[in-house]
């Protein structure tokens, strides 16, 4: 037995490299066990498939519903003059109203399409012979109401027709007047230009905060349940006879992080791919590529923050039933930015409170990606917020490690945070 | 030189002194039985050796140096509260624990299979732990303690809840490990088993070691007794100084020797010589059909130690109160 002494001394003489290596191999083994046992579970595979299916279905529905920017189907009966059709199309285009024109065989056929919902509006030639001069050369039939943006298009054209008729009546040239009116624009200079928001930004912003919330909550709940599983099955005692508590916690957080990242990359990747193939976001102002990269960064930071908090809190209890109540305070920290996003930020992306909160480490992972979807972040904002959050991590890791180490071997009644910190 | 030297361990939980100066040594290849009533401090001592609990005072020395993290990874540990991942397969679990103890992947598989076979659980290798009976889970737990070929075994009540066959398997493994030079310390309430297996025994009471030594040492007494089935009456005893009659039932006589002058009775050879003198005196008085030294069993020693320390502890308590 005394033969082993020189080996031990040799190992000690080799310096800190040796324990560090064994630390990483322990953490690696623990993380690998988490990854293999969790990804093998049927429940995990089914959840992943469902999430992928839901987001792809969402994108496809958006696509087949005509894209996220609204487009109108307008029918023209064959007897509407081509000039009118062209004029309507040109006016719609000038007003950024997206419309597709079709020509039903007759007015009856067109009305049938209106009733079935295939057409939003049907343009027919002017019927009343006794129309005052200057009245537009067409009429519009709808099922119930005319969409305001189409209404504006038709009205603008009708007013143009009326104006032309009056100008002609006064002996002028409608073309010259039109050109002059076109020139007469008021120059507007915005001091703080408000970026235009399209529906797709709201949808992507909402989807981002939902996916981030699900990913962070699911991942950190996995960590909390894993910690308590080891505590309640008492396997933690033989594990801690081999590895340090902080390695066990680090390996668990790392392994579960990888598992959830796989799930998120699959889900978001499927959504991005579907959006790319259908072109559903092509018209929108979102920078999808950079948003995805930043979202992954925010997921990693957010997961580390919440996983460490929940690991520490969960180590205070010994039964799965108690996990919910002990982790409640941390879950509130995720609930807050989520609720704020849904109720305020999606409608008011410029909100000052949202901007300030998006620099706070707990909130940044939720708020920054949403603000990025609205293009309201200056280029420096995300890097600075990320540096703040990353700088905060060692402090959190140290605190969480202390709580975990002080509590994880004490089974039975819930341990008070103070006692866990003291006995570490 | 002792492989494991536990010295002066003290541990308090609030006002409760769970350990109060526990010391013992373990030599290479020695089977050490650790006995004591519930709450005496056995589990606390073992947890401190494993480093899952820190002592308030005292040291644990391994091969002459304070035991460190690397040294503790060389221990095979079976905690009192059994713990395995319920949903992990037996084989995977053993391989995982072997790797955490530093074995490479192929060595971990080889060792896991070997121990599963030795302990008779190889048929359940691919089953989830929770599907096994408690007895078989216990075998897995022992395999988990052995899978990395530890240099020291620390087993907390390894025999509790085992059927007689499993007890034999477990005893066989412990003896085989000890014979291979691995010191083994285990706690148990099955004193007959401890008596049969162990080279040395330590008795702990209220956090203090009250007796320790080989079974023979513990059985040794300054007032040895013999049982003689032979002459009746106590007339034949009168020629024997220091020997007195303890009891007599029919032809069955129990006598006791107590040292009155020198200390010849305190050595084993002196004790044997006195026995022979008594036997000769009995034979001179009549036929003897049975003659044997009356040695206390471990159970009797244990009862004696536990009750006397209970009294002294009570006295001490009164003293402290004043
Ligand atoms: N975590 C703990 N908190 C408070 N008291 C404890 C704790 N663990 C053990 N004890 C007390 O320490 C004493 C020794 O316990 P233990 O070492 O488990 O005894 P044994 O294993 O010999 O039955 C007992 O009185 C027990 O109640
Ligand atoms: Mg015990």
């Amino acid at each position: 037995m005394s033969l082993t002494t020189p080996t031990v001394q040799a190992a000690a003489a080799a310096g800190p490299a040796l324990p560090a290596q064994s630390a990483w191999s322990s953490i690696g083994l623990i993380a690998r066990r988490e990854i293999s046992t969790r990804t093998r579970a049927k429940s995990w595979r089914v959840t992943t498939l469902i999430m992928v299916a839901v987001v792809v279905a969402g994108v496809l529905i958006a696509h087949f519903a005509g894209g996220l920017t609204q487009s109108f189907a307008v029918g023209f009966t064959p007897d509407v003059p081509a000039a009118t059709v062209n004029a309507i199309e040109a006016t719609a285009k000038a007003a950024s109203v997206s419309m597709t024109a079709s020509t039903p065989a007759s007015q009856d056929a067109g009305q049938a399409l209106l009733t079935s919902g295939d057409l939003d509006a049907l343009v027919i030639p002017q019927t009343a012979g006794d129309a005052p001069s200057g009245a537009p050369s067409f009429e519009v039939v709808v099922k119930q109401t005319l969409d305001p943006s189409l209404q504006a298009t038709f009205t603008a054209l009708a007013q143009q027709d009326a104006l032309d008729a009056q100008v002609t009546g006064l002996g002028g040239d409608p073309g010259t007047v039109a050109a002059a009116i076109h020139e007469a624009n008021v120059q507007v200079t915005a001091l703080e230009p408000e970026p235009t928001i399209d529906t797709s930004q709201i949808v992507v912003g909402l989807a981002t905060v939902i996916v981030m919330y699900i990913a962070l909550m699911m991942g950190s709940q996995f960590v909390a349940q894993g910690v308590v599983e080891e505590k309640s099955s008492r396997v933690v005692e033989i594990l801690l006879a081999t590895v340090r508590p902080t390695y066990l916690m680090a390996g668990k957080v790392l392994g579960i992080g990888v598992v959830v990242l796989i799930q998120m990359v699959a889900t978001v990747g499927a959504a991005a791919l579907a959006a790319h193939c259908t072109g559903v976001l092509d018209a929108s102002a979102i920078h999808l590529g950079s948003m995805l990269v930043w979202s992954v960064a925010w997921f990693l930071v957010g997961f580390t923050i919440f996983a460490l908090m929940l690991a520490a809190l969960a180590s205070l209890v010994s039964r799965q039933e108690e996990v919910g109540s002990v982790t409640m305070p941390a879950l509130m920290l995720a609930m807050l930015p989520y609720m704020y996003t849904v109720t305020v930020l999606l409608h008011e992306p410029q909100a000052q409170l949202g901007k300030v909160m998006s620099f706070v480490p707990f909130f940044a992972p939720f708020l920054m990606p949403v603000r990025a979807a609205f293009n309201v972040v200056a280029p420096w904002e995300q890097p600075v917020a990320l540096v703040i959050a990353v700088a905060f991590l060692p402090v959190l890791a140290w605190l969480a490690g202390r709580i975990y180490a002080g509590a994880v071997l004490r089974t039975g009644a819930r341990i008070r945070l103070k006692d866990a910190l003291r006995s570490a | 030189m002792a492989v494991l030297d536990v010295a002066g361990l003290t541990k308090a939980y609030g006002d409760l002194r769970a350990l109060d100066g526990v010391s013992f040594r373990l030599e290479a290849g020695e089977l050490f039985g650790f006995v004591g009533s519930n709450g005496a401090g056995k589990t606390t001592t073992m947890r401190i050796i494993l480093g899952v609990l820190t002592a308030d005072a005292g040291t644990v020395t391994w091969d002459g140096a304070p035991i460190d993290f690397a040294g503790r990874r060389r221990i095979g540990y079976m905690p009192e509260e059994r713990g395995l991942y319920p949903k992990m397969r037996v084989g995977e679990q053993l391989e995982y624990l072997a790797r955490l103890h530093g074995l490479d992947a192929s060595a971990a598989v080889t060792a896991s299979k070997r121990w599963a076979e030795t302990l008779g659980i190889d048929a359940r290798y691919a089953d989830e732990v929770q599907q096994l009976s408690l007895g078989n889970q216990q075998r897995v737990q022992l395999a988990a303690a052995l899978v990395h070929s530890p240099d020291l075994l620390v087993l907390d009540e390894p025999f509790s809840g085992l059927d007689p066959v499993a007890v034999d398997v477990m005893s066989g493994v412990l003896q085989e490990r000890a014979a291979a030079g691995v010191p083994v310390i285990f706690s148990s309430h099955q004193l007959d088993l401890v008596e049969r297996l162990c080279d040395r025994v330590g008795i702990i009471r209220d956090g203090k070691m009250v007796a320790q030594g080989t079974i023979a040492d513990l059985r040794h007494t300054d007032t040895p007794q013999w049982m003689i089935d032979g002459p009746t009456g106590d007339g034949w005893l009168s020629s024997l100084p220091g020997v007195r009659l303890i009891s007599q039932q029919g032809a069955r006589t129990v006598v006791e020797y107590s040292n009155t002058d020198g200390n010849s009775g305190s050595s084993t050879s002196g004790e044997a010589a006195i026995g022979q003198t008594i036997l000769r005196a009995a034979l001179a008085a009549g036929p003897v059909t049975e003659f044997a030294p009356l040695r206390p069993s471990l159970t009797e020693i244990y009862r004696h130690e536990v009750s006397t320390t209970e009294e002294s502890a009570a006295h001490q308590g009164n003293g402290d109160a004043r």
Side-chain angles (χ1 to χ4, degrees), chain A residues 1 4-5 22 29-30 32-33 40 230 233-235 237-244 409, chain B residues 47 50 52 63 69 73 77 79 81-85 88 92 96-97 99-101 141 181:
Chain A
M1 278 299 148
T4 58
T5 316
S22 106
L29 281 169
I30 292 159
R32 281 228 299 278
R33 195 198 78 88
R40 224 168 28 193
E230 283 170 359
S233 71
R234 298 296 325 193
V235 72
E237 192 166 342
I238 45 174
L239 297 178
L240 291 190
T242 332
V243 297
R244 293 181 203 279
L409 277 168
Chain B
R47 284 184 171 162
L50 264 297
V52 292
D63 267 341
F69 193 73
R73 291 182 70 187
Y77 178 44
E81 292 181 82
R82 312 295 185 231
L84 297 165
Y85 287 106
M88 224 172 154
E92 279 172 352
Y96 174 62
L97 290 170
R99 297 219 53 197
L100 276 186
H101 278 96
Q141 195 84 50

Side-chain angles (χ1 to χ4, degrees), chain A residues 409-411, chain B residues 11-14 16-19 34-47 53 80 156-157 187 189 204 206-207:
Chain A
L409 277 168
R410 294 161 66 177
T411 38
Chain B
K11 175 80 187 176
Y13 292 107
L16 178 90
R17 285 181 82 84
L19 295 186
F34 198 25
V35 302
S37 13
N38 294 320
K42 304 179 294 295
T43 299
T44 305
T45 305
M46 291 183 168
R47 284 184 171 162
L53 202 64
E80 175 177 36
D156 202 350
E157 303 194 17
S187 64
H189 295 297
I204 185 171
D206 287 338

Side-chain angles (χ1 to χ4, degrees), chain B residues 170-181:
Chain B
M170 181 82 75
S171 322
V173 169
L174 299 195
Q175 284 173 313
E176 183 267 324
R177 285 288 83 200

Side-chain angles (χ1 to χ4, degrees), chain B residues 212-231:
Chain B
Q212 62 175 307
T214 62
I215 303 275
D217 284 347
L218 292 180
R219 282 174 146 187
H220 175 74
T221 160
D222 283 345
T223 55
Q225 296 185 344
W226 287 267
M227 189 280 292
I228 305 110
D229 198 341

Side-chain angles (χ1 to χ4, degrees), chain B residues 132-149:
Chain B
L132 271 60
S133 68
L134 278 181
N136 276 340
Q137 288 189 20
Q138 187 124 323
R139 293 181 191 215
V140 180
Q141 195 84 50
L142 181 66
L146 291 165
V147 74
H148 57 288
S149 314

